Structure formats: C-alpha cells, structure tokens
Amino acid sequence: MTTTPVIDGIHLHARLAALARVGAIDGGGCARLALTDADKDGRDLVVGWMRAQGLAVTVDAIGNVFAVRAGREDGPPVMTGSHIDTVRTGGRFDGNYGVLAGLEVCRAFDAAGLVTRHPLCVAFFTNEEGARFQPDMMGSLVHAGGLSLQEAYAATDTSGLRLGDELERIGYRGRAAPGTIRPRAFVELHIEQGPVLEEAGRTIGAVTGVQGISWHEFVVSGTAAHAGTTPMRLRHDAGYVAAAAATYVRQLTHDMGGAQVGTVGVSELRPNLINVIANHARFTVDLRNTDEALLRQAEQRTFAAIDSVAQAEGAAVERRRLARFEPVVFDAAMVAHVERVARAHGHDPMRLPSGAGHDAQMMARLCPTAMIFVPSVTGLSHNVAEYTAPADLEAGAAVLLDVLLELAQA
Amino acid sequence: MTTTPVIDGIHLHARLAALARVGAIDGGGCARLALTDADKDGRDLVVGWMRAQGLAVTVDAIGNVFAVRAGREDGPPVMTGSHIDTVRTGGRFDGNYGVLAGLEVCRAFDAAGLVTRHPLCVAFFTNEEGARFQPDMMGSLVHAGGLSLQEAYAATDTSGLRLGDELERIGYRGRAAPGTIRPRAFVELHIEQGPVLEEAGRTIGAVTGVQGISWHEFVVSGTAAHAGTTPMRLRHDAGYVAAAAATYVRQLTHDMGGAQVGTVGVSELRPNLINVIANHARFTVDLRNTDEALLRQAEQRTFAAIDSVAQAEGAAVERRRLARFEPVVFDAAMVAHVERVARAHGHDPMRLPSGAGHDAQMMARLCPTAMIFVPSVTGLSHNVAEYTAPADLEAGAAVLLDVLLELAQA
C-alpha cells in the first residue's frame, strides 16, 4: 500500500546541520575544500546515510559518488544531486542542499512504499568549487567526457599536491569508469546564490540555463612619474587605463542590457602612492551572458575599448584568458516541467538563468537537464553568512520530489 | 685684485659624489631620511666643507644650518640653499645640488678675491622631504614662522620616535632661534623633478611659483556580491565608484586645462577577487593648480562628482583631507632677474611653475624669492635613477652665481 510521498523537513534540516558540523568554521560556515580530510569526513558521513537508506553506492575513478534506488525496470536512472565540497569560507547550503534533498526524496518514497518505474540516483560530484584544484565542476565535467581522468589527476594545489594522489589518499578513487551511469534526465536543486528571487518575492526559480563566463586578466604597463611635475599630456598612467576599463565595462552592460553583466573585481596599482602616477595596473574583467553571440560581442567591445584607451595613453596592455565557458541552455520541456510542478505546489515560479556555474551544466551535455532554485537571503553565498529560510528549503525539496517522481514514473 | 668669478664644475661634481656616498644605496641613489645617522653624517660632511671654506656656521633650534660669507656691509644676507635630507630611495641631486652649488658660488667668489656688498648665506633646511616626519618642508616652515618649535618637536616617526629627541640625538638642535636670519632675498637652485624642460629642450627654468596642492583620501563602502548572480541594477559596487572617480579626475583636467593636474595614485579594492563585486574601495585624489580659485573649483567639482556617482550606486563615501597648500607666486622682479641672467649666459630660459613643493615656497613668506630649475632626465626624481647631465648642473650653478652676485651687490 502506498501513500503520497512527502518531504520530512525536520530530517532535512537535521542532516544539513550535521553535515555543516564537518569542517565547521566560525560564523556558521564550512571549510571542506575538495579532497581534504574534511571533504573525506563529509563524504563518509553522506555515504553512510546513503548505505543506511539501502541505496546502492558506486564511486567512480574521479571520486563522484552515485547512490541508486532501484526502480521497477532496469535501465538509465533519473538522477539528481550536486556537490558537498565547499570554498574555504563557504556556507552550509551551497551544494549540500541539493544532495541531501535528493536523499530525502528517496526517504519519502521509502516511507510511502513507492517503487518508481525508473531507478532514482542521488549523486555528488567531486570538486565542484574549484577552490583547491582547477577547473571547477571537475567531477561532472569528467563524467560528461569533457576532461580526461589523466588531466584531472594531474591538477595540483598551491602546495604542489596532485589531485590523483589526494583522491587516493582519502580513499575515494573508485573503480567505476566515469560516465558509466548515463541518466535519463538530471535535476539539480540549489540555492540561487543571488538576490533575484528574494527581490521578486518568489520561492521557486525554474532555471533556464547557465550564463556563459568570460574571465580575463589585464596587465597595463605605463610610466611612473611625479603627480605634481608631470603635465597631463606627458602621462602614461596605468591606473587611468584600469579605471577607464572599469567604467567602460559598466557602460557596456547598460548599452547591451538584457542578461549582460560585467564586473571588474580585481584592480591593483603600483607603486600605489598618492603622488606617483602608477606605472603598473592589474585588473580582471568578468563578463557573463546567456547568449554566446552576445557574450562574444561583449568581449570584443571590451578588448577593443581597453586597447584603444591604452594606446591613447601610451601604455602597453597584456591580456590573458583565465576562463571561458559557453552559455548552457536547459531543455525547454524540463524547464516547463519544473514550472508546472511549482505551480501545482501553489508557487508562482520565476524563470531565470543561473549566474553561477553548476554541475547541471555539465550533465546537460548528456541528458535533458533542469535546475530548481530557492532564494538566498540578500543573495549572499560563498560566505559563512549564506542563508536560506527553512520553509524555502522545504518548499524546494517538495518541488524536487514531484519533479523527480513524474520523471521516474514516465 | 679681483677676477671674474666662475663655477668650478669638477669640484661641484666631486662634492655631489662625496655626499652621495653617505647613505648610498644600490643603483646610485641615497637614503638619508631626516635626523637619522645617515642624515647626521651628511650634515657633518657639509658643515665641515662650510667651515673649511671659512664660512660662519649657525645651527638653529630646528636644525637648519646657515653658513654666512661676510659682505662689505652688515645686515641681511642674500640667501641661497635647499636641503640635504632624502626620501628612502632618493637620488643624489634633489636638494643636495642647490646646497653644494651655493658653496661653489662662495668658493668662486673667494677665488676671484671678491667681497660682495651684502653678506651671502648658504642654508640647508631640516626635513624638507617629510618622508620620516610630517609635515614636509618643516625646517623652512618653522624658519618662516608657519609652525612652532613645539609642534615640530612633537612630530613622531612610524616607530614612535620624537623629532625633538632625534634632533638632539644627532647633535643638531642648535641654539639660534628660528627665523633669526631674515634674508634680503632667497634663491633656490633645484632639479626640475619633471619632464617639462627636457621635452622643451631648455636648460634653465625660471620658476614662477609653486602649485597649490590638494590631497584627499576617499573610502567607499558598497556591498560584496556574486559577479554572476547579481543583476547590474542591484549592485552597490565600491570598485565602480573608484573607477568612475579616477576617470572623472582625468576628464576634469582636460575640461579645465591650463595648469590643472589631477592624479589617482592609490586605488585598492576589497575583497579584490575576480568574481566578487567589491564592497570596499580606497583611493586618493591629488589635485594641483597654480591658481587657488581654480584649485578650489577643481576640488568642488571632484567632490560633487564622487558624491553623485556614489549616491547613484547606493554606496557610502567618506572623504578625508590629507594635505592642502595654497599656490605660491614668486616675486615677479626676481623671476625676471633669473630670466635676464640666463639669457646673458646664452640660454633660452623657460618660465614654469613647480609641481613639487620646495623650501623656497616657505621663504617666499619672508622675502623676494626665486627658483632656478635644471632638467631632470625623463623627469625622474625620488628614484635612485634620478639624473641631470653634468653640463646642465654646471649651467645652473653658473646662472645661480650671477643671480646671487647681482643681488649681493645691489
């Protein structure tokens, strides 16, 4: 006899709190950098819960963990999940929430005596944050075939430790070949990490895709000179070039509008003295758009503007690409499915793109994929003060349950 | 029997080199911060030369040193001089050149058997640079009555040492009351420390005055947020405010033209990460003009622009005045006198204001004052690579000689 499966909110909160105690840091946050002892402890805790729930756990060669709940039929599972590694001063919900909510869906199905047609799989992927080893979203990227095991193993942290060795050391270099479990569909539940849902007063976001990201570093070489004795027309001011670049980026986002965002987050001058014209400036430009053609346009316009201002100033500028990802557009039917379920739960869901990267964007290479967002208070994330209200966490998990249920029964 | 007095260039260069060996640092520069052991050693060397030349040396209570060559009449001397302290990585000519050239003028008069009508005085003033104790131009400021001895003695360096104690320690707290020697006229020979003479192909600058200086520090408080997930309209980007301020300052100097210069030499962001909108920015604005009304206008326009951009960004901004000096205009007859002598020496002198501060601007409070500039290669100063060609050093000293001779015989 089956009943209607429902999320056990109390249990979800208790597990989030228990996982947050692993690698806990002052202020309520977590430090579980990928493949550290703290990451191992977090993994052991979650794998223990998976096994205790009777799920079949597989660890692959990059350390991704898959917990499968059998369905009436064999074949590809419906997959959900996220990551449990954190940045150095991370919050307790980023990633962890999606994984533990997936386990709560399994518990709810168990409690309701429900066996789905297709298997259900709850996954957590290795090194999503990229805070210790680059690139980020590494486990899901390897799973999707976008990065070889050899390349991933060769990544080193700042103290020279190899990722492959660290994976072995913490006991999570599994035997399964990456990509073996190819799901029918993938759904990731995650906190928004931005202020949009909160500002709009919505509880559920139906994520339409992930913004493309373009990261570049610029180094400007001018000429140090006395701020009093050097006429304006004889200056080669590296600091001015940096300032003009930052104001251009802001103007560009206004001119392009839409989803285009742009940020100069790093800016440093040398010698950085009040009465000396800077001979050196280093700054970064972070450009994002949901549309690849527009993102390319933003890059080209920014590069041209910076070259032009540097040339006019008689300063040299060097550009280095730090990261570049094309936008990802999620499957339209999957996004509509999330919206439909959210409405059935009484929500007024909001379509929005993700401004941050997620494992779902790698899984979208393999299968129809969607993401569900819940609000982040004041948009704060990668911060110990990251917070989402308990009711919102429960609402997101409840939507996830019905989204997965429908996919698993289809 | 008198002959025509002439500067002994070889001797001038030898003394500049000998003084540069005191506190010598790599690259050919000097570190003789005010009232350090190195400053004492430099002072002892120069005072030794003064005494060896038969000059009457007086040290006043702030450590200014005056060496008087008697004239046919008593009464106020014609004074020349500058300073011999340096910044931490200073050059060998800044200040030292004017003092040692003054001593060469005395030697030339001696060699020519010439006794002038009025006494001639060669001075060096304490702590012109202000690199260890603030304010800068301290010795000449005290001499001119602009700062009390008590205030000057109370100045402390970064390790908490009091200027009064350090002056006593190195044996240069003299007995003479500051301001006792009130000259008939003051002439300071100095390297330009800027690129204007070199660019114009001129050897001698007739300095019209000293720019007024306005130094302010701004601290902007915005909100740290994710560069990907935060829509442009929800940002409070402290880094953008700093960048917009720096581009405004540049635009202002173009709009105002003339002698107006403006520099943002310090700019720092926090957290200074590529994908985080800065919640904190600190920057400085250095504005200078030869006209006080225009300098005030530049300040007001800059303050208003920064307040306006911060308000539009939803960021708070705090402003702190770090320094403010009104412009100084040198005596027109004195400037014309320098020009006339320079032309008589076959030069095509250039009128220009000084962008840097000098002891002469304090002495201008007491008597008709002028400055003579010689070129600085590529405008470099406060740098171990500071350089002026030997022929230019000799040309400047020769002009100084005749400028002083005419004043001392008048």
Side-chain angles (χ1 to χ4, degrees), chain A residues 192-196 199 211 215 226-235 237 240 243-244 246-247 250 253 260-263 265-269 272-277 284 286 288 313 322 355-356, chain B residues 192-196 199 211 215 226-235 237 240 243-244 246-247 250 253 260-263 265-269 272-277 284 286 288 313 322 355-356:
Chain A
E192 183 200 333
Q193 304 184 277
V196 176
E199 205 223 5
Q211 292 182 337
W215 281 2
H226 192 295
T229 61
T230 312
M232 299 311 295
R233 70 194 157 74
L234 296 181
R235 296 181 177 213
D237 185 344
Y240 172 69
T247 53
R250 171 61 68 92
T253 62
Q260 183 63 51
V261 294
T263 307
V266 170
S267 184
E268 296 168 350
L269 305 185
N272 206 41
L273 295 173
I274 188 169
N275 59 345
V276 181
I277 295 159
T284 57
D286 174 321
R288 309 197 192 196
E313 189 71 13
L322 300 180
Chain B
E192 181 198 334
Q193 305 185 277
V196 175
E199 206 221 4
Q211 292 180 339
W215 281 1
H226 192 295
T229 60
T230 311
M232 300 310 295
R233 72 195 154 74
L234 297 181
R235 295 180 178 215
D237 185 344
Y240 171 68
T247 52
R250 172 61 67 93
T253 62
Q260 183 62 52
V261 295
T263 307
V266 169
S267 184
E268 296 168 349
L269 305 186
N272 206 40
L273 295 171
I274 187 168
N275 58 346
V276 181
I277 295 160
T284 57
D286 173 321
R288 308 198 193 196
E313 188 71 13
L322 300 180

Side-chain angles (χ1 to χ4, degrees), chain A residues 170-248:
Chain A
I170 69 163
Y172 275 88
R173 201 179 74 175
R175 276 168 301 183
T180 304
I181 303 181
R182 192 178 176 103
R184 300 173 55 80
F186 182 81
V187 182
E188 182 172 3
L189 173 65
H190 206 283
I191 58 169
E192 183 200 333
Q193 304 184 277
V196 176
L197 290 175
E198 182 184 61
E199 205 223 5
R202 313 288 188 98
T203 304
I204 301 294
V207 183
T208 52
V210 179
Q211 292 182 337
I213 296 182
S214 161
W215 281 2
H216 288 83
E217 179 190 69
F218 296 82
V219 173
V220 186
S221 301
T223 305
H226 192 295
T229 61
T230 312
M232 299 311 295
R233 70 194 157 74
L234 296 181
R235 296 181 177 213
H236 311 291
D237 185 344
Y240 172 69
V241 175
T247 53
Y248 180 81

